[in-house]
Amino acid sequence: MDGPKSEEEKLKCMETKKIYEDINIDADINKIYSNTNLGLKKRWKSALDEIFTKEKSAIVLEDDTLPSMSFFRFCDELLEKYVDDKQIAQINGYNYFSKVSIPEDYYFTTFPELWGWATWQDRWKKYYNNDLESEWETIKDTQDFYNCFSSKEEFDYFYNIYENAVNNVVDSWDFKWSYSLRKNKLLSIAPSRNLVKNLGFGHDGATHTHQKHKYLSVTRNKRYNINFPLKHPDNINKNLILIENDFNKRLLKNSKLSRLIYRFNKLKKIF
């Protein structure tokens, strides 16, 4: 838990801390509090760094994410299955599509989703680094970096995101992770149906999801359970290109729509 940004936030932080302190379950709970406000980027790193001094893997949830019960078993089983497959960097709980029509219970993707996810200590320590800041100006216009993407539209989309991250236009920890995984051609595992619901859309306390996004918060934010035993893909590349192309179409379409909605709402406030 991060510290308060201001005097006004101290009470909210104290109330939140009390909720954690009053949790009474039969489990070993290790609470990590920061006395000062580090901000999203630094606090995420410091918390996960500390967790991975003690654990070989971890399942990560934010306070505004609600997982289905099968999410935990899904992560546990795949953390064990792919622990030695270094091409796999993380396991997603969130599925942008809500559902994907494939016979298997998961597929592989170049998109790490971070509304409920899991990874291993060795991946975190190796790939969460300062490469984005240190090499961005050198690598951003190279053919090698362009080749990390499946289309020009996808390249342009992430180019803008990483550019904003380097220039501190956004305060977020995850772009460094996304950049490092993509640059090193690593994959994530995604469930064939969404296992995590994001509750944070449209709330004042949200960091990045202030607006009620119709497409993501309603249409693509339904939560499901998944059945066991899991049906595994017979190879890593199966469905990868097909689903990535579909993801590109929907992601780019709705990122443009989101920017239009954002600008329209700003104009409404002005007038």
Side-chain angles (χ1 to χ4, degrees):
M1 177 177 161
D2 203 359
K5 296 178 183 176
S6 62
E7 287 296 319
E8 290 77 16
E9 279 197 355
K10 275 189 177 180
L11 179 59
K12 291 182 179 179
C13 285
M14 290 172 62
E15 291 172 345
T16 303
K17 185 175 179 180
K18 187 176 186 307
I19 293 172
Y20 293 145
E21 293 298 332
D22 289 345
I23 293 174
N24 185 20
I25 58 174
D26 185 20
D28 184 16
I29 301 176
N30 202 358
K31 306 178 186 76
I32 307 170
Y33 300 114
S34 174
N35 293 323
T36 59
N37 183 264
L38 300 176
L40 190 60
K41 188 185 297 185
K42 291 181 180 178
R43 188 64 187 116
W44 264 100
K45 182 182 186 307
S46 65
L48 284 172
D49 282 350
E50 185 166 345
I51 289 168
F52 283 126
T53 62
K54 303 168 185 175
E55 305 293 339
K56 296 295 185 184
S57 61
I59 297 172
V60 185
L61 286 165
E62 298 183 35
D63 56 0
D64 59 358
T65 53
L66 181 64
S68 65
M69 290 307 297
S70 60
F71 163 74
F72 298 99
R73 183 174 172 185
F74 178 79
C75 290
D76 277 340
E77 290 194 7
L78 297 182
L79 282 170
E80 182 176 351
K81 181 176 177 63
Y82 292 98
V83 61
D84 295 321
D85 191 333
K86 306 304 182 183
Q87 186 183 359
I88 310 303
Q90 78 163 60
I91 298 157
N92 303 344
Y94 181 77
N95 186 313
Y96 181 87
F97 297 116
S98 187
K99 285 183 177 180
V100 174
S101 297
I102 56 174
E104 300 85 7
D105 287 317
Y106 63 91
Y107 59 93
F108 300 90
T109 175
T110 59
F111 292 88
E113 298 284 359
L114 297 162
W115 293 343
W117 59 291
T119 191
W120 299 266
Q121 177 199 72
D122 60 344
R123 273 69 144 190
W124 177 258
K125 287 187 173 181
K126 182 173 182 179
Y127 295 110
Y128 195 80
N129 51 45
N130 293 319
D131 283 358
L132 176 57
E133 293 92 338
S134 65
E135 66 189 27
W136 178 243
E137 292 302 322
T138 303
I139 198 175
K140 66 181 184 179
D141 295 318
T142 64
Q143 187 65 41
D144 283 345
F145 184 60
Y146 182 87
N147 291 341
C148 293
F149 302 88
S150 61
S151 69
K152 182 182 183 303
E153 291 76 17
E154 184 182 284
F155 170 79
D156 290 340
Y157 176 80
F158 281 100
Y159 186 101
N160 289 330
I161 285 178
Y162 298 145
E163 183 83 6
N164 287 337
V166 169
N167 292 304
N168 295 312
V169 176
V170 290
D171 176 31
S172 187
W173 66 273
D174 57 317
F175 299 132
K176 293 166 67 167
W177 178 247
S178 163
Y179 169 81
S180 187
L181 300 195
R182 189 168 287 275
K183 185 190 74 167
N184 288 286
K185 296 180 172 56
L186 301 181
L187 298 174
S188 298
I189 290 172
S192 61
R193 54 186 59 203
N194 183 39
L195 303 179
V196 180
K197 181 179 180 66
N198 190 310
L199 304 174
F201 285 98
H203 294 286
D204 292 339
T207 304
H208 292 127
T209 53
H210 300 289
Q211 295 172 304
K212 191 78 172 179
H213 192 309
K214 181 178 179 181
Y215 185 80
L216 287 178
S217 61
V218 180
T219 312
R220 299 296 164 188
N221 203 18
K222 293 180 181 178
R223 184 185 57 152
Y224 302 91
N225 273 301
I226 207 162
N227 295 321
F228 297 92
L230 292 175
K231 298 175 184 175
H232 302 280
D234 52 23
N235 66 77
I236 286 179
N237 290 322
K238 188 173 185 179
N239 301 313
L240 180 60
I241 295 175
L242 178 66
I243 294 173
E244 296 287 275
N245 287 341
D246 200 8
F247 195 109
N248 265 262
K249 291 175 187 175
R250 300 195 199 190
L251 172 72
L252 297 170
K253 173 185 174 183
N254 286 288
S255 66
K256 291 174 184 176
L257 176 61
S258 296
R259 288 196 292 271
L260 288 172
I261 293 171
Y262 176 74
R263 290 168 185 166
F264 176 70
N265 286 336
K266 286 192 73 174
L267 285 172
K268 281 201 304 184
K269 288 181 180 179
I270 293 172
F271 295 106

